[in-house]
Amino acid sequence: MEAFQTASDVFFVLMGAIMVLAMHAGFAFLEVGTVRKKNQVNALVKILVDFAVSTIAYFFIGYAVAYGVTFFSNANVLRGAELVNGQHAFASSGFDLVKFFFLLTFAAAIPAIISGGIAERAKFWPQLIATAVLVGVFYPLFEGIVWNGNFGIQDAITHIFGAPFHDFAGSIVVHAVGGWIALGAVVHLGVRKGRYTKTGGLVGIPPSNIPFLALGSWVLCVGWFGFNVMSAQSVSGITGLVAVNSLMAMVGGILTALIAGRNDPGFVHNGALAGLVAVCAGSDVMHPIGALITGGLAGFLFVWAFEKCQVKWKIDDVLGVWPLHGMCGLMGGIACGVFGLSALGGVGGVSFGAQLVGSVGGAAYAAIAGFVVYGVLKNTIGIRLDSEAEYYGADLSIHKITAYPEDDVKAS
């Protein structure tokens, strides 16, 4: 029975890892549908190669930073079939390996989130360097603090507030960290050519392909149930409450984004994602009505913040990743300390003070990391395409082919 339980956990976590891996296709098509046609190939290649670099960085460095575990042992040890000093260094059936795979897909979401903000004017190779540094060092440092209790920070929060900082599936650890790092990247890059008039007026750049944008959103929504539910990381830890809360937050985000966004399809499809981002932290402790309210607030917040970024603050965040992941993630982490309380129908075991400190602290840490990493790259090797390359698009400038090469042949 013990062997069967372990094998079941391996399969469960493996399926979760595959579902979250599929979400990276969602990131890719969300970006493809939003950017102009001359930058679609770049979006696809960037997401895929970022994942490859993330895997190398997390395998050799990041996972050890977060959890103190390295994989420099023979394969029998790694799969739990061989003892080290008379003890199993790794769980049987290779459970630790699929756990790494699962958590890798979370880590790789950091550059996937950033990618949407820096689209259409970022250099290719400097972004890969940023990916390696962020996934290898900066992300796992915070991940280890929250999910592995590193440096005693969770103990200190528990001592002060009576409960640890709670982030079940990464509203802060993944989404807020990715979104606030992206803010630094976007600010350092500056706005796209032609985005604003000389007097500061906004020049509209419509999405290139609404069906692709919608496809990306749908793929992300489906994969998100692996992202949230399978964060339990064991069959015995599964709870339908996480699934229903994720569902309620998603639909809440859709409906408020529909209203606030005045039927705009881009806002509607991103509203679903805003709700899912916000509910990650408290999806295991909220009542479904609390999750619905959390998702609804996130959908409204995304529309408001996206418009403020583009029109008033002149922050040219192409996909709105700072509003979507950064702001909605921050709001979700704090909301966990409200709607997770037993007094409001939640499971309890959370503290508003702990959620506020952990959420704001995570956002501040990520913002500093983003400004530092991209600031150093900007002042050394440069992070932005030159004017000519940006004009012709990243597809031709970097990859030497467009998304529709047959049209180019006909035109010539």
Side-chain angles (χ1 to χ4, degrees):
M1 287 301 296
E2 183 178 349
F4 177 77
Q5 180 67 46
T6 302
S8 298
D9 288 343
V10 169
F11 184 74
F12 174 72
V13 176
L14 176 60
M15 291 300 100
I18 292 171
M19 289 181 73
V20 184
L21 173 62
M23 290 175 69
H24 288 264
F27 281 120
F29 276 96
L30 191 70
E31 186 173 336
V32 167
T34 305
V35 299
R36 288 167 287 188
K37 290 182 178 180
K38 61 183 180 180
N39 296 296
Q40 290 180 332
V41 170
N42 179 247
L44 294 168
V45 175
K46 189 169 46 171
I47 296 290
L48 185 62
V49 179
D50 269 338
F51 187 87
V53 172
S54 296
T55 301
I56 299 300
Y58 199 63
F59 182 86
F60 286 102
I61 303 172
Y63 198 72
V65 171
Y67 301 101
V69 175
T70 63
F71 299 103
F72 302 110
S73 303
N74 69 58
N76 274 326
V77 171
L78 295 181
R79 71 189 184 98
E82 184 176 307
L83 301 179
V84 177
N85 297 324
Q87 296 181 333
H88 285 286
F90 290 85
S92 62
S93 301
F95 176 79
D96 291 294
L97 297 178
V98 294
K99 179 181 177 181
F100 157 78
F101 183 12
F102 182 66
L103 292 172
L104 160 68
T105 59
F106 281 52
I110 300 299
I113 290 168
I114 297 168
S115 176
I118 65 175
E120 301 204 305
R121 76 272 202 206
K123 287 183 176 179
F124 188 72
W125 292 104
Q127 172 55 22
L128 294 184
I129 294 173
T131 293
V133 173
L134 292 168
V135 176
V137 179
F138 285 96
Y139 169 77
L141 275 173
F142 187 72
E143 175 191 17
I145 288 171
V146 178
W147 287 341
N148 199 47
N150 294 353
F151 308 117
I153 294 176
Q154 282 282 40
D155 291 337
I157 291 175
T158 303
H159 177 73
I160 296 170
F161 298 105
F165 171 61
H166 186 86
D167 190 4
F168 180 70
S171 285
I172 302 298
V173 174
V174 179
H175 298 288
V177 166
W180 285 87
I181 289 175
L183 175 63
V186 170
V187 170
H188 277 305
L189 270 173
V191 303
R192 288 169 287 175
K193 299 292 183 183
R195 181 55 166 154
Y196 299 98
T197 64
K198 292 181 179 180
T199 59
L202 180 70
V203 177
I205 301 177
S208 61
N209 193 309
I210 294 296
F212 276 166
L213 185 157
L215 174 64
S217 175
W218 270 108
V219 171
L220 284 165
C221 287
V222 172
W224 223 295
F225 288 86
F227 195 99
N228 283 2
V229 175
M230 293 174 175
S231 284
Q233 296 185 31
S234 68
V235 173
S236 61
I238 301 172
T239 168
L241 181 65
V242 176
V244 172
N245 281 346
S246 301
L247 176 67
M248 297 300 281
M250 181 184 77
V251 299
I254 292 170
L255 294 175
T256 55
L258 172 71
I259 296 168
R262 300 171 295 279
N263 301 329
D264 182 282
F267 284 140
V268 171
H269 286 91
N270 277 285
L273 307 182
L276 287 163
V277 164
V279 82
C280 285
S283 56
D284 64 326
V285 295
M286 291 181 179
H287 186 279
I289 296 176
L292 177 65
I293 295 171
T294 299
L297 291 173
F300 176 82
L301 175 61
F302 170 71
V303 175
W304 176 85
F306 183 87
E307 291 181 336
K308 287 292 183 182
C309 280
Q310 301 293 332
V311 179
K312 186 173 182 179
W313 301 332
K314 301 295 188 294
I315 299 174
D316 191 15
D317 181 345
V318 180
L319 268 67
V321 298
W322 178 44
L324 178 63
H325 298 274
M327 292 188 182
C328 293
L330 175 59
M331 187 276 290
I334 297 171
C336 174
V338 178
F339 296 108
L341 297 172
S342 57
L344 292 177
V347 172
V350 296
S351 161
F352 177 77
Q355 294 307 119
L356 181 64
V357 169
S359 300
V360 173
Y365 168 79
I368 293 169
F371 276 98
V372 169
V373 170
Y374 284 95
V376 170
L377 289 172
K378 178 181 179 180
N379 290 292
T380 51
I381 61 177
I383 58 176
R384 179 160 181 158
L385 295 171
D386 61 43
S387 296
E388 183 179 11
E390 184 178 342
Y391 173 79
Y392 284 107
D395 293 358
L396 283 176
S397 301
I398 298 173
H399 309 288
K400 313 305 179 186
I401 192 169
T402 68
Y404 307 94
E406 72 279 7
D407 292 340
D408 297 335
V409 172
K410 292 175 184 176
S412 63

